[in-house]
Amino acid sequence: MKLQEYAAKELLVRAGLPVPPWSVADTPAEARSQAAAYLAAGADRVVIKAQVLVGGRGKAGGVKLAATADEAEAVAGAILGMDIKGITVRRVLVAPAADIVREYYLAAVLDRGARRIRIMGSAEGGVEIEQVAEEDPDAIVSLLAHPHLGLLDHQARQVAFAMGLGDRWKEAVPVIRGVFAAAIANDADLVEINPLAIVRSVEPDGTVSESIQALDAKVTLDDSALFRHPDLEALRDLSEEDPVDVEARGLGLSFIRLEGSIGCMVNGAGLAMATMDLVKRAGGEPANFLDIGGGAKADKVAAAMRLILSDASVQVILVNIFGGIARGDEVARGLLEARSQQTRDVPMVVRIVGTNADLAARILDESGVGIEAATSLDAAVERAVELARAAA
Amino acid sequence: MKLQEYAAKELLVRAGLPVPPWSVADTPAEARSQAAAYLAAGADRVVIKAQVLVGGRGKAGGVKLAATADEAEAVAGAILGMDIKGITVRRVLVAPAADIVREYYLAAVLDRGARRIRIMGSAEGGVEIEQVAEEDPDAIVSLLAHPHLGLLDHQARQVAFAMGLGDRWKEAVPVIRGVFAAAIANDADLVEINPLAIVRSVEPDGTVSESIQALDAKVTLDDSALFRHPDLEALRDLSEEDPVDVEARGLGLSFIRLEGSIGCMVNGAGLAMATMDLVKRAGGEPANFLDIGGGAKADKVAAAMRLILSDASVQVILVNIFGGIARGDEVARGLLEARSQQTRDVPMVVRIVGTNADLAARILDESGVGIEAATSLDAAVERAVELARAAA
Amino acid sequence: MSILVDEHTRLLVQGITGREGLFHATQMQEYGTNIVAGTTPGKGGQVVLGKVPVFDTVAQAVLETGADTSVIYVPAGGAPDAILEAVDAGIGTIFCITEHIPVLDMLKVVAEVDARGVRLIGPNCPGATSPGKAKVGIIPGSIHLPGDVGLVSRSGTLTYEVVQALTDAGIGQSTCVGIGGDPIAGTNFTDVLTLFREDPETHAIVLMGEIGGDAEERAAAWKAEHMPDVPMVAFIAGRSAPPGRRMGHAGAIISGSGGTAEAKIAALEAAGIRVADTPSQIPGMLREAGYRA
Amino acid sequence: MSILVDEHTRLLVQGITGREGLFHATQMQEYGTNIVAGTTPGKGGQVVLGKVPVFDTVAQAVLETGADTSVIYVPAGGAPDAILEAVDAGIGTIFCITEHIPVLDMLKVVAEVDARGVRLIGPNCPGATSPGKAKVGIIPGSIHLPGDVGLVSRSGTLTYEVVQALTDAGIGQSTCVGIGGDPIAGTNFTDVLTLFREDPETHAIVLMGEIGGDAEERAAAWKAEHMPDVPMVAFIAGRSAPPGRRMGHAGAIISGSGGTAEAKIAALEAAGIRVADTPSQIPGMLREAGYRA
């Protein structure tokens, strides 16, 4: 689960990291009043940032500065409703603009190959780390935390010194440890601060001081561990999600809506992807990814079918079940149940093999409902694409 | 640092372990009122237990039952002031007597050889575990916690089943984990519950229930880790300690008062023990163990000397310093400082070798104070014993 | 021969009295797998499947039955501990079927498993079958044919699909191994290829990968270096997956430039491994690659 | 030859700019030890002792100077991390002089040190000297004489006492090692005996034990089995210690029947090792045991 910047920053604060104040606005008016407050408190300008879960929002015009409350309202109005890579901006973050002395990069990320949490830091902050990795790999310091002992003090020091934060290493070490701690405390696959910055601030009495601050944050949580962080579920931004995805999650189904016309219902993520690949190869377009999981019962199958059919662009449904834990007869019963409640007449191509496939075939056969049966995956896909073409 | 039973029980409770109520009394009157309260609350009898840091208090008559408040006062009066293996009882624990169904043994203990924390359990509780180990070693289940992962769930289950607590393993597992957790949370070398018991209790409505309870507790803390548990220092029972020991600890000295007449001041615990061994071998009796530590400065040496002299039975002082981190001249200066403040005329045999020994010899020599110098350890010991004999 | 499991396997089923555990234990026993014991805390003393004793702890089970391999059907909350219990009891090969184990738990578990020299397959894996000898896990037994093609896969049902395709084409398998699709797994493609290389009865390889991570790329490079002459065909699921969306498996994330189907296919082909467009092409491509049953 | 340290040792001093670190670094350098680097976070770039560069991290120090051995003078709060920093940087032999490190910290550290195949001596140890070659730690250099007797001890100053006695008697030492008196230590008597057995220039052994634990008993048994013909003399401090009282070292606790001076002396004598009553007897007893310089 990816968190929006504002939610990610909340987790950083809980881990004791220094984050400048921020607020979240859903309307230009909200943004205006928040900006006015920051400006009144001494900020020269405020920054308004689109809250979307895709990269490149800056280049897309989703991050702007404003020097007055009027300007903040106008900028927020322009960003809210903007489309960034297919996502509509529904929320902006408002924060005082920081007086940045220097930008750094810092992250804790799951390294699947090394099977450890990797800490990465760089004095080249504020740009995509992939770009730094390509152009100047020596500018990145990277090391693996111990699987049991975590990030050790000396590792945090090593990162601090290698990032060029040697003259303020005592301030940097808790920040580096904090990023790791945030990953562990929240079961995060990724905690990224880019930029981490040395920020200059001027007190009312004119004193100038500099400190390390986290100015942006990306956090991705491990979905399998959400059960032990019930509070984090509240940070999920449902506004950006397709309501159908939300419903699918409630049903324990793995569902992703796509653009095509062929609804797919498959058991197993790998087989589901392979089925979609074959649909595409045969000239069709899958309408969704759907893995009904291992022990799917009839009622879950029926619910999954309703989800697929809720998409008006679905013209044909392709069911591909290889029984293992899932039993063919259960799936067949679920299909019939869904069919009986179905208001829209969409043709269905069904291929069920493996555990209790014979029973499934008999159930479907005896039902008298017009469900086309296929035994081979290739034939099922071909027929589904053919039906979709006919319907188009 | 060994904790009294009442302090040890406090740590068990903090670790979530089930411990029946208890209170602590310093006078028979206190014990009486506490007993009265337990009896009024439904207890059939109360148990009064001497709080001393030596084993075998039960056999010594330091643990007694009482059925009435009068009896409790009388029993407490008999136990308070009692001498148990040289320790005067100054405090008793008062608790409702438990209706014990069965007794078990459970402990987490530092295993120096294995360099792990060892969990030990037995269905043979209520007796010394050393006796069980000798007579029926198979009655003890014992396993090592992981140095990083701690005591794993399956290890706790294994202990529970092997202890014969299989039919209540879901109740036993948190207790076993709790004992380990108490050791870790407090940096304890030993957390021992003996007996751990299944206790029967009768509710006012006549319902009988059974549950696992910790009826006694021994805890030994790692002195080197006390700095990170400032709250635990408050659990130390100063009443049982020699005030001189308390003062020595305040000075950062390792000091133990003994019975003899030859005060010893040595740097290094091993050399201090060896010096005492030689004194005893030569027919003398050391008055104390004292390790002045590595970098002992003059003022610390002087303080150590005052400690030794505060013991009226000291007839001669033997100083044995092998300079390494400790520098001979610093020690010599400390000795002279102490000598100048000395009210009692006790002869002193001093042997200083190693770092700055020449300087030390010159300082002592030039002082004109009557300090006998010796160059070999054997000669120094022999002379000290001779002087002690002469003084006796 | 075969790898990981065979007729000598003495199997322990952890969580044998649970719904999943009992169902699959029955299937495994019917296939001929030698199940010697099961465990469920508090159910020690029971007997299931006609003759399989149930123990409270793995330590007891190993002591009394000499189990050397275990398969875990314990829910995600208890599965990491179940793996470590098997390790501590001296089990040498552990299959963890359980899905949805948190990644941080698995980081600790694999560190310990590696340190102790134990083989862990999974978690979130379908297990392994050596046709005609033993099946451990949840792969349907009926789809197999004994033979000499080794199969390794990150997927579950997709594995079955390919096994069925091989069997239908008359191509038998030495051992079929599902290593699971989780981001952190005990055994990777290269580990299994290493085992297959040591197996004199495995004469060709089928590798079923999917998008995400770089395990396929590493396996390709290893194969090219260590077993260049062995016929091998691969398949990568997820060519049509939109970038950045999860497709069920946490493993199937495309992050940055790495982990795409294109990158994996390119790496496999660069290593001289043919990549099939559909599972049904695999038997033919194996023969084209020089495999003769 | 010698063990652990010699003229080829490239020594790193962790905590070199501290009071203790700088004092002993000076002493070590004066003795002729090849100190190639020091570390203190935040002091990187300084030079001490005329020519020794100071680094912020051990990793940098190793990279730039090829240090292979380190000695730690870091306070107890930071010492466990200092040990692990040396391990992570690839240091092969680590001496930890620091005392009062909590036991639980050391349990984790020694587990990691062992897993990584690194040699840790200490903590709370005086170090090691190979007379005429190198001294690492805090043992006064002046008391040594080069020779062929290996000495191993759990104590600090008691070690000096015996070294002095040997030197006074004209008996030189190959290496003198203080393993420290803490309950949890990186290296025990048996480990050091194993090293001495492999050293062709060590022809006799002196072992200085003390009450508490059973390391002396285990060393005695090992010696009897693995180096029965090597002359060896032991000493056990704490014969006069009252049971149950701590004598400074956490190690010196008598618990139950084990760990007493009597038990240790009996075990040593049963293994054919003579036990001296006083340090001054040791040179004579070594000769009686067959040692010839």
Side-chain angles (χ1 to χ4, degrees):
Chain A
M1 174 172 123
K2 281 187 188 177
L3 296 185
Q4 297 285 11
E5 177 186 358
Y6 66 84
K9 283 183 165 173
E10 173 64 28
L11 296 189
L12 296 191
V13 169
R14 288 186 202 171
L17 290 164
V19 185
W22 76 90
S23 50
V24 176
D26 293 342
T27 64
E30 277 177 10
R32 179 195 179 85
S33 70
Q34 292 166 2
Y38 292 129
L39 293 167
D44 282 344
R45 292 186 297 177
V46 295
V47 60
I48 316 261
K49 302 165 89 174
Q51 297 296 285
V52 285
L53 294 176
V54 292
R57 63 182 172 171
K59 281 182 196 151
V63 178
K64 300 271 188 210
L65 291 166
T68 65
D70 283 348
E71 201 184 336
E73 183 171 7
V75 165
I79 294 176
L80 286 164
M82 183 183 272
D83 181 289
I84 298 181
K85 296 187 182 170
I87 307 285
T88 304
V89 180
R90 300 188 191 282
R91 201 167 255 191
V92 293
L93 179 146
V94 184
D99 182 0
I100 297 172
V101 178
R102 169 129 203 201
E103 294 182 316
Y104 300 84
Y105 173 92
L106 181 62
V109 57
L110 174 67
D111 185 323
R112 295 157 53 139
R115 305 197 299 186
R116 302 273 174 106
I117 301 290
R118 183 178 287 282
I119 301 294
M120 296 173 70
S122 175
E124 305 292 320
V127 295
E128 292 283 321
I129 193 69
E130 290 84 355
Q131 191 186 326
V132 179
E134 204 162 299
E135 293 170 6
D136 186 10
D138 289 347
I140 299 176
V141 54
S142 157
L143 48 79
L144 298 169
H146 192 282
H148 300 311
L149 297 171
L151 185 73
L152 299 164
D153 281 347
H154 71 84
Q155 294 184 305
R157 288 199 301 270
Q158 193 178 333
V159 171
F161 284 109
M163 281 173 74
L165 286 165
D167 49 345
R168 45 176 75 233
W169 69 274
K170 285 187 181 172
E171 184 187 358
V173 160
V175 171
I176 295 162
R177 290 174 58 95
V179 165
F180 178 78
I184 298 300
N186 299 293
D187 276 290
D189 295 343
L190 172 73
V191 174
E192 185 185 72
I193 303 180
N194 190 18
L196 181 76
I198 295 178
V199 169
R200 185 182 291 119
S201 59
V202 183
E203 299 303 310
D205 67 357
T207 324
V208 176
S209 65
E210 294 186 353
S211 65
I212 298 175
Q213 300 283 335
L215 299 187
D216 196 356
K218 275 202 186 72
V219 169
T220 307
L221 302 176
D222 174 8
D223 291 329
S224 294
L226 280 177
F227 74 93
R228 55 187 174 199
H229 305 285
D231 56 317
L232 298 185
E233 187 62 40
L235 296 177
R236 189 189 290 274
D237 185 5
L238 298 178
S239 72
E240 191 172 306
E241 286 189 80
D242 190 323
V244 173
D245 293 5
V246 178
E247 188 184 347
R249 195 165 54 241
L251 292 165
L253 297 168
S254 190
F255 183 91
I256 296 173
R257 171 158 288 178
L258 301 168
E259 305 290 307
S261 61
I262 302 177
C264 298
M265 180 189 298
V266 190
N267 66 327
L271 188 58
M273 285 194 288
T275 304
M276 291 161 60
D277 294 347
L278 296 196
V279 165
K280 203 143 184 174
R281 181 167 179 273
E285 281 295 334
N288 66 278
F289 166 89
L290 170 58
D291 169 14
I292 60 165
K297 291 281 180 190
D299 54 343
K300 204 165 164 185
V301 170
M305 187 59 71
R306 282 193 298 276
L307 272 184
I308 294 174
L309 285 170
S310 71
D311 179 356
S313 50
V314 168
Q315 302 296 336
V316 56
I317 294 175
L318 169 60
V319 177
N320 182 25
I321 302 294
F322 208 119
I325 302 188
R327 305 188 199 169
D329 55 327
E330 285 278 359
V331 174
R333 266 189 287 271
L335 293 176
L336 291 181
E337 187 189 323
R339 195 73 171 176
S340 69
Q341 299 161 354
Q342 202 169 317
T343 51
R344 195 153 66 89
D345 188 29
V346 174
M348 202 183 282
V349 181
V350 176
R351 181 225 185 196
I352 299 180
V353 288
T355 310
N356 294 3
D358 298 348
L359 204 55
R362 187 152 19 105
I363 289 168
L364 293 178
D365 218 40
E366 289 172 358
S367 72
V369 177
I371 289 179
E372 291 196 32
T375 48
S376 92
L377 175 53
D378 291 347
V381 166
E382 207 163 300
R383 181 62 185 146
V385 172
E386 199 173 287
L387 288 168
R389 269 209 197 101
Chain B
M1 175 172 125
K2 282 188 189 176
L3 296 184
Q4 296 286 11
E5 177 187 359
Y6 66 86
K9 282 184 165 172
E10 172 63 29
L11 295 188
L12 295 190
V13 169
R14 289 187 200 170
L17 290 164
V19 185
W22 77 89
S23 50
V24 176
D26 294 342
T27 64
E30 277 177 10
R32 178 195 180 86
S33 71
Q34 292 165 3
Y38 293 128
L39 294 168
D44 281 344
R45 292 186 295 176
V46 296
V47 61
I48 315 261
K49 302 165 88 175
Q51 298 295 285
V52 284
L53 295 176
V54 291
R57 63 182 171 171
K59 281 182 196 151
V63 178
K64 299 271 187 208
L65 291 167
T68 66
D70 283 348
E71 202 183 335
E73 183 171 7
V75 164
I79 293 176
L80 285 164
M82 182 184 272
D83 180 289
I84 299 181
K85 296 187 183 171
I87 307 285
T88 304
V89 180
R90 300 188 190 282
R91 201 167 255 190
V92 293
L93 179 147
V94 184
D99 182 1
I100 296 172
V101 178
R102 170 132 202 199
E103 294 181 315
Y104 301 83
Y105 174 93
L106 181 62
V109 57
L110 174 68
D111 185 323
R112 295 158 53 140
R115 306 197 300 187
R116 302 273 175 105
I117 301 290
R118 184 178 287 282
I119 301 294
M120 295 173 69
S122 176
E124 303 293 321
V127 294
E128 293 282 321
I129 193 68
E130 290 84 356
Q131 191 186 327
V132 179
E134 203 162 300
E135 292 171 7
D136 187 10
D138 290 347
I140 299 176
V141 53
S142 157
L143 48 79
L144 298 169
H146 192 283
H148 301 310
L149 298 170
L151 185 74
L152 298 164
D153 281 348
H154 71 84
Q155 295 184 306
R157 287 199 301 271
Q158 193 178 331
V159 171
F161 284 110
M163 282 174 74
L165 285 165
D167 49 345
R168 45 176 74 231
W169 69 275
K170 286 187 181 173
E171 185 188 358
V173 160
V175 172
I176 294 162
R177 290 175 58 94
V179 165
F180 178 78
I184 299 300
N186 299 294
D187 276 290
D189 296 343
L190 173 74
V191 174
E192 185 184 71
I193 303 180
N194 190 18
L196 181 76
I198 295 178
V199 169
R200 186 181 292 120
S201 58
V202 184
E203 299 302 310
D205 67 356
T207 325
V208 176
S209 66
E210 294 186 353
S211 66
I212 298 175
Q213 301 283 334
L215 300 187
D216 195 357
K218 276 201 186 71
V219 169
T220 307
L221 303 176
D222 174 8
D223 292 329
S224 294
L226 281 177
F227 73 94
R228 56 186 174 201
H229 305 286
D231 56 317
L232 298 185
E233 186 62 39
L235 296 177
R236 189 190 289 274
D237 185 4
L238 298 179
S239 73
E240 190 172 307
E241 286 189 80
D242 191 323
V244 174
D245 293 5
V246 178
E247 189 185 345
R249 195 165 55 241
L251 292 165
L253 297 169
S254 190
F255 183 91
I256 296 172
R257 171 159 289 177
L258 301 169
E259 306 288 307
S261 61
I262 302 178
C264 299
M265 181 190 296
V266 190
N267 66 327
L271 188 58
M273 285 194 287
T275 304
M276 291 159 61
D277 294 348
L278 296 195
V279 165
K280 203 145 183 171
R281 182 168 178 272
E285 282 295 334
N288 66 281
F289 165 90
L290 170 59
D291 168 14
I292 61 165
K297 292 280 182 191
D299 54 344
K300 204 165 163 185
V301 170
M305 187 59 71
R306 282 193 298 277
L307 272 183
I308 294 175
L309 285 170
S310 71
D311 180 355
S313 49
V314 168
Q315 302 297 335
V316 56
I317 294 175
L318 168 60
V319 177
N320 182 24
I321 302 296
F322 208 120
I325 302 187
R327 305 187 199 169
D329 55 326
E330 285 278 358
V331 173
R333 266 189 287 272
L335 293 177
L336 290 182
E337 188 188 323
R339 195 72 170 175
S340 70
Q341 301 161 355
Q342 201 169 317
T343 50
R344 195 153 66 89
D345 187 29
V346 174
M348 202 183 281
V349 180
V350 176
R351 180 225 184 197
I352 299 179
V353 289
T355 310
N356 294 4
D358 299 348
L359 204 53
R362 185 149 23 104
I363 289 168
L364 292 178
D365 218 40
E366 289 171 358
S367 72
V369 178
I371 289 179
E372 292 196 33
T375 47
S376 93
L377 175 54
D378 291 348
V381 166
E382 207 163 300
R383 181 63 185 144
V385 171
E386 198 173 288
L387 287 168
R389 268 209 198 100
Chain C
M1 258 173 73
S2 47
I3 66 169
L4 296 168
V5 298
D6 63 19
E7 66 274 29
H8 304 298
T9 295
R10 297 181 65 79
L11 186 68
L12 167 74
V13 180
Q14 293 178 252
I16 198 168
T17 63
R19 205 178 69 92
E20 292 288 307
L22 197 57
F23 174 76
H24 290 291
T26 307
Q27 301 272 314
M28 291 188 280
Q29 194 185 53
E30 282 172 6
Y31 192 79
T33 311
N34 182 22
I35 302 180
V36 299
T39 53
T40 298
K43 303 259 167 111
Q46 294 188 5
V47 171
V48 295
L49 306 183
K51 59 172 187 181
V52 176
V54 180
F55 297 90
D56 291 315
T57 68
V58 177
Q60 272 177 292
V62 168
L63 189 71
E64 305 214 4
T65 70
D68 54 21
T69 302
S70 93
V71 60
I72 294 173
Y73 298 96
V74 171
D81 183 62
I83 296 171
L84 296 174
E85 180 170 12
V87 170
D88 280 346
I91 295 285
T93 303
I94 303 165
F95 292 87
C96 184
I97 310 303
T98 311
E99 59 180 352
H100 301 310
I101 301 180
V103 164
L104 292 190
D105 292 356
M106 281 313 300
L107 290 181
K108 291 176 193 291
V109 168
V110 297
E112 183 64 11
V113 162
D114 287 355
R116 302 281 285 273
V118 173
R119 164 75 58 205
L120 169 68
I121 298 100
N124 190 16
C125 83
T129 304
S130 293
K133 296 171 178 169
K135 95 168 184 110
V136 173
I138 60 174
I139 304 176
S142 59
I143 61 179
H144 292 285
L145 181 71
D148 60 357
V149 172
L151 185 144
V152 58
S153 170
R154 269 167 80 184
S155 308
T157 48
L158 179 56
T159 309
Y160 315 164
E161 189 74 46
V162 183
V163 173
Q164 186 75 67
L166 290 172
T167 295
D168 288 350
I171 297 178
Q173 307 97 43
S174 56
T175 303
C176 299
V177 188
I179 58 174
D182 271 11
I184 302 300
T187 294
N188 63 30
F189 282 130
T190 308
D191 296 328
V192 177
L193 291 184
T194 305
L195 294 174
F196 277 136
R197 187 179 59 158
E198 303 300 317
D199 177 25
E201 286 180 19
T202 296
H203 298 132
I205 308 278
V206 174
L207 181 147
M208 305 293 294
E210 60 185 48
I211 53 174
D214 66 350
E216 291 81 0
E217 287 87 333
R218 284 182 285 134
W222 190 90
K223 195 273 181 188
E225 186 180 345
H226 294 98
M227 43 199 302
D229 301 329
V230 178
M232 179 161 161
V233 174
F235 178 86
I236 301 295
R239 294 179 194 223
S240 63
R245 302 300 302 263
R246 279 173 189 246
M247 293 286 156
H249 281 191
I253 311 168
I254 303 180
S255 50
S257 58
T260 64
E262 291 68 35
K264 288 176 189 300
I265 292 168
L268 288 160
E269 291 182 338
I273 299 161
R274 295 200 56 183
V275 182
D277 284 340
T278 73
S280 59
Q281 291 178 343
I282 291 174
M285 288 178 79
L286 260 184
R287 294 200 171 99
E288 286 165 29
Y291 168 71
R292 296 290 171 270
Chain D
M1 259 173 71
S2 48
I3 66 169
L4 296 168
V5 298
D6 62 20
E7 65 274 29
H8 305 296
T9 295
R10 297 181 65 79
L11 186 67
L12 166 74
V13 179
Q14 292 178 252
I16 198 169
T17 62
R19 205 178 70 92
E20 293 289 306
L22 196 57
F23 174 77
H24 290 291
T26 308
Q27 303 271 315
M28 290 188 281
Q29 194 185 54
E30 282 172 5
Y31 192 79
T33 311
N34 181 23
I35 302 180
V36 299
T39 54
T40 299
K43 304 259 167 112
Q46 295 187 5
V47 171
V48 295
L49 305 183
K51 59 173 187 181
V52 176
V54 180
F55 297 91
D56 291 314
T57 68
V58 176
Q60 272 178 293
V62 168
L63 190 70
E64 305 214 2
T65 69
D68 55 20
T69 302
S70 92
V71 60
I72 294 172
Y73 296 96
V74 171
D81 183 62
I83 296 170
L84 296 174
E85 180 171 12
V87 170
D88 280 346
I91 294 285
T93 303
I94 302 166
F95 292 87
C96 184
I97 309 304
T98 311
E99 60 180 351
H100 301 310
I101 300 180
V103 163
L104 292 189
D105 293 355
M106 281 313 302
L107 290 181
K108 290 177 194 292
V109 168
V110 297
E112 183 64 11
V113 161
D114 286 355
R116 302 281 285 275
V118 173
R119 165 74 58 204
L120 169 68
I121 297 100
N124 190 16
C125 83
T129 303
S130 293
K133 296 171 178 169
K135 94 168 185 111
V136 172
I138 59 174
I139 304 176
S142 59
I143 61 179
H144 292 286
L145 180 73
D148 60 356
V149 171
L151 185 144
V152 58
S153 169
R154 269 166 81 185
S155 308
T157 47
L158 179 56
T159 309
Y160 316 165
E161 188 74 46
V162 183
V163 173
Q164 186 75 66
L166 290 172
T167 294
D168 287 349
I171 297 177
Q173 306 98 42
S174 56
T175 303
C176 298
V177 188
I179 58 174
D182 272 11
I184 302 299
T187 294
N188 63 29
F189 283 129
T190 308
D191 297 328
V192 177
L193 291 184
T194 305
L195 294 174
F196 277 135
R197 187 179 59 158
E198 303 301 318
D199 177 25
E201 287 181 18
T202 295
H203 298 133
I205 308 277
V206 174
L207 181 148
M208 304 294 293
E210 60 186 48
I211 52 175
D214 66 350
E216 291 81 1
E217 287 87 332
R218 283 183 285 134
W222 190 90
K223 195 272 180 188
E225 187 179 344
H226 295 98
M227 44 199 302
D229 301 329
V230 177
M232 179 161 161
V233 173
F235 178 86
I236 301 295
R239 294 180 194 220
S240 63
R245 302 300 302 263
R246 279 174 190 245
M247 293 286 156
H249 280 192
I253 310 167
I254 302 180
S255 49
S257 58
T260 63
E262 291 68 34
K264 288 176 189 301
I265 292 167
L268 288 160
E269 291 181 339
I273 299 160
R274 296 201 58 182
V275 182
D277 284 340
T278 73
S280 58
Q281 291 178 342
I282 290 174
M285 288 178 78
L286 260 184
R287 294 200 171 99
E288 286 166 29
Y291 168 73
R292 295 292 171 267

